[in-house]
Amino acid sequence: MKTIHSYWAYIVLAVLIYTVVNAIIGLTQKKEFTHKEFRLGLFTLITSHIQLLIGLGWYFMSPWFKALKANGGEVMKESATRLLAIEHPLTMVIAIVLITMGWSKHKKKVKSEDKFKMFAVFYGIALVLVLSRIPWRNWF
């Protein structure tokens, strides 16, 4: 499960970066929001939700969750363990909530500029959060 979660993360990260960059380019160059952007946003939403499900499955089987249940105080004292037991899962859930909000809000907009703005802002903040809490030492 951990391996699947790690490999799927590369897909999610690549798609999320591409979607944010595409939204910023579309916004700055005043492009028309087409089916391509719609599908790209939807694909980002779907891949991130799949990652959430895989991640939750792995989290509840992980040694970090077991350590947190057994002795939460010790987990909170050690930054590397705290990252994996608390910070990473919580931040990723928040990031996926932001992606979901961006998807939902973009559908209510009529103008292309507003649609690109929703993706750029919500997906962009989610990207920053994801990048801030990836356990880089464990990932490579």
Side-chain angles (χ1 to χ4, degrees):
M1 188 74 98
K2 179 182 176 186
T3 305
I4 295 169
H5 181 67
S6 294
Y7 284 121
W8 194 259
Y10 287 110
I11 295 168
V12 173
L13 189 57
V15 171
L16 183 57
I17 290 169
Y18 186 76
T19 303
V20 170
V21 169
N22 186 64
I24 292 169
I25 290 170
L27 186 62
T28 57
Q29 295 182 358
K30 302 196 184 302
K31 290 186 173 184
E32 190 66 31
F33 192 89
T34 65
H35 288 294
K36 175 192 162 221
E37 284 79 18
F38 180 86
R39 288 187 184 117
L40 184 58
L42 180 60
F43 188 65
T44 306
L45 178 78
I46 291 169
T47 57
S48 65
H49 279 83
I50 291 170
Q51 178 69 345
L52 174 65
L53 294 174
I54 296 167
L56 287 173
W58 163 239
Y59 178 72
F60 290 112
M61 295 186 295
S62 73
W64 305 291
F65 179 70
K66 292 174 183 156
L68 185 63
K69 278 180 26 182
N71 194 351
E74 289 301 314
V75 168
M76 296 305 283
K77 288 178 187 175
E78 190 178 329
S79 65
T81 308
R82 184 180 61 239
L83 171 66
L84 295 168
I86 301 288
E87 295 171 5
H88 173 75
L90 182 61
T91 304
M92 297 307 156
V93 168
I94 293 168
I96 292 170
V97 166
L98 287 169
I99 290 169
T100 306
M101 289 172 59
W103 173 257
S104 179
K105 288 186 174 290
H106 109 276
K107 292 190 305 182
K108 297 176 184 170
K109 302 298 180 183
V110 177
K111 292 188 212 170
S112 290
E113 180 182 356
D114 295 336
K115 289 178 178 281
F116 280 122
K117 188 183 282 185
M118 291 298 105
F119 279 178
V121 170
F122 284 93
Y123 284 41
I125 294 170
L127 176 61
V128 170
L129 288 174
V130 166
L131 291 173
S132 76
R133 289 295 149 227
I134 289 176
W136 294 104
R137 281 189 239 161
N138 297 7
W139 214 23
F140 292 113

